[in-house]
Amino acid sequence: MPPTADFDALVIGDQVGFPFLEGVDAVLSRLIEKFDRGESPPLILPNPDLIYPKPRGFGITCGALALMLEAALRQRYPGRPDIRFVPLGKPETPIFAEAARRAGSRNLVMIGDQIETDIRGAWHFGIDSALVAGGVAELAFHAGQPAWWPTWRLETLQPGHRPRIALDPEGNAQSVTLTGSCDKIAHF
């Protein structure tokens, strides 16, 4: 849908395929028109990640776009704490509950490259997690240990690769070896 089209709800589901500034400006303008008329369209954010790894560097994601729009709307409407995006994906618990329901078990491991969404969500849901190296977050960048420290750290998702041993919050050594085909790993 073009950013200038009218909408009943705003869902930021992708950050590519449109002229960036023109698109954000058009959406912001439309939102301000709606809020000025007393409308409150739902603001939905399926994926709150802020950045993602690209073959040559990093890019911003939907989460970053949502934060930018929220900041602009807070400036325009300082007394409206209700104007915010509702996150649906990781680290929110319902997506993990749905994965457990589909798997028929809570014996799951969340494999991801983002501490703030993938690892944090697994921790809050009470399942193990594996942080994949070379993605967005590296453990070395975190001062101290966040409460949602990953269970494992994986160098790669290649089958049979033995990752570095990671320590759990109690200081116990943890290790895992991937087996089987990586194409069977469910991403959500």
Side-chain angles (χ1 to χ4, degrees), residues 171-182:
N172 302 311
Q174 302 289 318
S175 183
V176 66
T177 301
L178 290 174
T179 58
S181 172
C182 283

Side-chain angles (χ1 to χ4, degrees), residues 29-184:
S29 295
R30 182 68 66 168
L31 283 170
I32 289 172
E33 290 170 10
K34 287 180 171 294
F35 287 120
D36 282 353
R37 287 194 307 259
E39 299 174 32
S40 293
L43 306 174
I44 310 297
L45 181 61
N47 182 354
D49 288 342
L50 299 176
I51 61 174
Y52 71 99
K54 294 169 56 172
R56 293 182 183 241
F58 293 90
I60 64 168
T61 67
C62 303
L65 295 175
L67 285 177
M68 188 171 47
L69 288 169
E70 283 179 344
L73 293 169
R74 269 194 308 274
Q75 183 176 355
R76 172 86 174 180
Y77 308 100
R80 297 278 313 266
D82 61 310
I83 299 178
R84 65 176 200 79
F85 280 84
V86 175
L88 299 180
K90 305 166 289 177
E92 305 304 315
T93 301
I95 195 166
F96 290 92
E98 178 62 17
R101 185 192 68 75
R102 289 183 186 192
S105 171
R106 286 183 60 101
N107 187 18
L108 305 168
V109 175
M110 173 64 207
I111 300 172
D113 67 348
Q114 302 231 15
I115 290 175
E116 290 298 320
T117 53
D118 303 326
I119 306 307
R120 183 182 194 177
W123 187 86
H124 282 294
F125 192 65
I127 61 173
D128 287 343
S129 62
L131 181 66
V132 179
V136 171
E138 290 292 337
L139 296 177
F141 298 147
H142 289 269
Q145 282 190 341
W148 42 85
W149 199 249
T151 312
W152 296 291
R153 183 178 185 280
L154 304 175
E155 292 295 321
T156 179
L157 290 179
Q158 296 302 312
H161 180 80
R162 188 135 183 108
R164 267 188 228 165
I165 293 175
L167 298 179
D168 67 17
E170 287 80 40
N172 302 311
Q174 302 289 318
S175 183
V176 66
T177 301
L178 290 174
T179 58
S181 172
C182 283
D183 61 0
K184 293 183 181 176

